[in-house]
Amino acid sequence: MPRNIDPRIQRTRALVRSAVSSLLVEGGLSAVTFSSVAGRSGLGRQTLYRHWNTVEELVVDSVLEGVDDGYPSAALDAADALRQWILGLTRALSEEPRATALAYVVALAQHDLLARELLDRLLEDRRQALISVLAPFERTCPKPVFAATVGPPIFASLWAGRPLRAAEAAALATQLEPLLPRRLHRTS
C-alpha cells in the first residue's frame, strides 16, 4: 500500500482483508456478509458500507488491495515489464490473507456461479493492469497469454507453498514476451 495513505485506513483495510479471508475459509462466500465482516474485524457496518456497495466488491477489493504497489514504472522493454509484473504478482500472493482469499475463491469457482463471477472479475482486473503496464511498449495481453502468465505464480504461491523465484519469473517473461501481440491503433 502506498506510504501516503492514512495509517487508519491502512489498518481498517488490513482488518477487513483478514476478516474476509478467515470467513471465506470457515464458510465460503455465503459466510462473507457485511455483518460478519464487521463482527470479525471489530469495525462498524457503516464503515464497510461507506467503502463497499456490495459484498462482492468487498471480497474483490480484499484480494486486490495493494497489488499494484511495486508494479513496473521504469521497465526497459516489454519482457522486463512482464517480468516485473510477474514479480509484483508474486509479492502480492505471498501475503497470507490475500493468498487464502484467492485460494478459496478459486476453489469455490469450480461449483459456485457467484465465485466464478468474482474470479472472472479478479482475473480481468489483473489482465487490464498488465495491459496498462505493457502499453508503453505497444503490446497487449490476450486472455490465453494472460492465463499462461498468472498460472505459474499462482501455482507456486498457493499450491507449492513458495513464491515464484526471480529466475523463474525472468524465464517465464522471456518465454511469453514473443506471444504478446502488438496493440492495434484505431484511427478515427
Side-chain angles (χ1 to χ4, degrees), residues 149-170:
T149 303
V150 298
I154 290 173
F155 179 82
S157 294
L158 301 182
W159 284 276
R162 65 165 179 83
L164 198 68
R165 295 180 180 101
E168 294 168 327

Side-chain angles (χ1 to χ4, degrees), residues 6 23 27 65 173:
D6 184 327
L23 288 164
E65 175 73 28

Side-chain angles (χ1 to χ4, degrees), residues 3 10 18 32 38 42 47 55 70 72 77 92 103 111 127 142 157 177 186:
R3 305 220 188 294
Q10 289 178 334
S18 180
V32 181
T47 299
V55 170
D77 54 27
H111 56 82
R127 189 173 80 87
S157 294
E177 187 271 335
R186 298 178 190 246

Side-chain angles (χ1 to χ4, degrees), residues 123-166:
L123 291 172
E124 185 57 23
D125 181 271
R126 294 300 81 211
R127 189 173 80 87
Q128 291 304 317
L130 176 55
I131 288 170
S132 71
V133 166
L134 295 169
F137 307 102
E138 297 190 4
R139 300 303 263 296
T140 191
C141 187
K143 288 182 180 181
V145 178
F146 180 74
T149 303
V150 298
I154 290 173
F155 179 82
S157 294
L158 301 182
W159 284 276
R162 65 165 179 83
L164 198 68
R165 295 180 180 101

Side-chain angles (χ1 to χ4, degrees), residues 29-93:
L29 283 173
S30 61
V32 181
T33 65
F34 282 107
S35 293
S36 64
V37 172
R40 182 65 55 96
S41 66
L43 300 169
R45 282 195 335 227
Q46 283 306 113
T47 299
L48 301 176
Y49 290 127
R50 209 175 7 257
H51 297 284
W52 296 279
N53 293 322
T54 66
V55 170
E56 292 79 16
E57 286 179 12
L58 190 135
V59 173
V60 168
D61 283 355
S62 293
V63 175
L64 293 179
E65 175 73 28
V67 295
D68 288 332
D69 298 349
Y71 274 1
S73 56
L76 302 173
D77 54 27
D80 187 44
L82 186 58
R83 180 188 62 77
Q84 290 183 47
W85 189 89
I86 291 167
L87 287 172
L89 176 63
T90 298
R91 279 189 302 276
L93 290 171

